[in-house]
Amino acid sequence: MCGIAGFVNSREQPADRGVIEAMTATLARRGPDGWGVHVAGPVALGHRRLSIIDVAGGAQPLSNEDDTVWVTYNGELYNELDLRPGLEARGHRYKTRSDTETLVHLYEENGLDFVRQLNGMFALAIWDAPRQRLILARDRMGQKPLYYAELPGGGLAFGSEPKALLKHPEIARALDPESLARYLFYEYIPAPYSIWRGVRKLPRSHVLVWDRGSIRVDRYWSPP
């Protein structure tokens, strides 16, 4: 179990390193083995790590060869050993043995369709610096949690747990009474809702694309 968090500002407003460090710190119990952040221009990505694969070299956030694509990721990619040889044959150069690195190379190769090739349990965020595009995705069965909230002015924040989002100064700690009613009726809160107003849960089998302020959420897989 790891924890991820991050945000992207609109209008090229520089990201505040202190904010992402505070967001990431709330997830310490999910990742006791290490932590890292990546802050560049309007984006900030954070990670708390539980080391399992490539203990020495798999620290996150992690990038591609030229640091133009970054990922922060919670989960395990079951078909990584099937995907890696083909990516290496097409010229992608790996610097770790971690399954995380396959995500950035697969995205480089296939764009937004990369998520359709993933077999695993995961919640992930990919930042495409040249396109100024943020991608969030959740596994087919929804084993790994992922929450997000739109920021005033067109930005977006995300995290493995709502408490990470609530550390962002532009997200209010306001209860959503409609979601409270859902909880009392269903005894749980169904996606895409959460108990906090403005905070949403990305549904399983869905991908969210933030593209310079516009947001699109699509389903990428349905059970046969």
Side-chain angles (χ1 to χ4, degrees):
M1 180 170 66
C2 297
I4 67 173
F7 63 91
V8 59
N9 295 324
S10 62
R11 304 192 185 99
E12 301 299 322
Q13 177 186 354
D16 187 330
R17 185 181 182 92
V19 172
I20 188 58
E21 288 182 350
M23 293 173 68
T24 304
T26 66
L27 305 172
R29 68 177 185 84
R30 300 182 66 91
D33 296 332
W35 70 281
V37 298
H38 169 69
V39 181
V43 73
L45 305 177
H47 189 263
R48 290 292 316 200
R49 188 182 186 204
L50 177 65
S51 302
I52 298 176
I53 300 175
D54 194 0
V55 173
Q60 297 184 47
L62 187 149
S63 70
N64 63 342
E65 300 95 329
D66 60 3
D67 295 339
T68 57
V69 178
W70 288 80
V71 64
T72 183
Y73 162 71
N74 168 30
E76 182 178 354
L77 192 56
Y78 303 144
N79 61 337
E80 192 269 341
L81 293 179
D82 297 325
L83 295 170
R84 181 183 289 238
L87 292 167
E88 289 178 321
R90 289 190 286 275
H92 296 275
R93 301 187 307 277
Y94 278 76
K95 54 191 174 186
T96 74
R97 297 177 60 193
S98 171
D99 61 337
T100 306
E101 192 172 358
T102 288
L103 297 170
V104 292
H105 296 313
L106 195 63
Y107 172 76
E108 286 182 288
E109 191 69 28
N110 297 290
L112 295 176
D113 284 336
F114 84 104
V115 71
R116 300 179 187 276
Q117 299 185 42
L118 303 182
N119 178 11
M121 55 177 183
F122 57 84
L124 64 86
I126 285 181
W127 172 246
D128 183 333
R131 294 182 174 86
Q132 296 287 285
R133 182 165 70 183
L134 180 70
I135 301 101
L136 307 180
R138 195 165 173 224
D139 64 75
R140 296 178 183 185
M141 301 307 295
Q143 290 176 267
K144 296 297 183 180
L146 189 56
Y147 295 82
Y148 69 94
E150 296 183 49
L151 302 177
L156 185 80
F158 67 89
S160 294
E161 298 180 17
K163 64 183 180 181
L165 292 168
L166 296 177
K167 281 294 184 179
H168 195 288
E170 295 183 358
I171 297 177
R173 291 172 171 263
L175 188 72
D176 183 352
E178 292 185 2
S179 287
L180 177 59
R182 293 183 184 99
Y183 176 77
L184 295 173
F185 186 81
Y186 297 114
E187 297 186 354
Y188 80 105
I189 300 175
Y193 308 104
S194 83
I195 196 66
W196 301 103
R197 183 181 299 164
V199 175
R200 292 291 179 259
K201 182 189 298 181
L202 186 66
R204 63 183 179 90
S205 310
H206 278 67
V207 59
L208 180 152
V209 179
W210 180 95
D211 193 344
R212 301 178 187 272
S214 67
I215 295 175
R216 187 177 81 248
V217 179
D218 295 314
R219 188 174 192 125
Y220 68 85
W221 179 84
S222 297

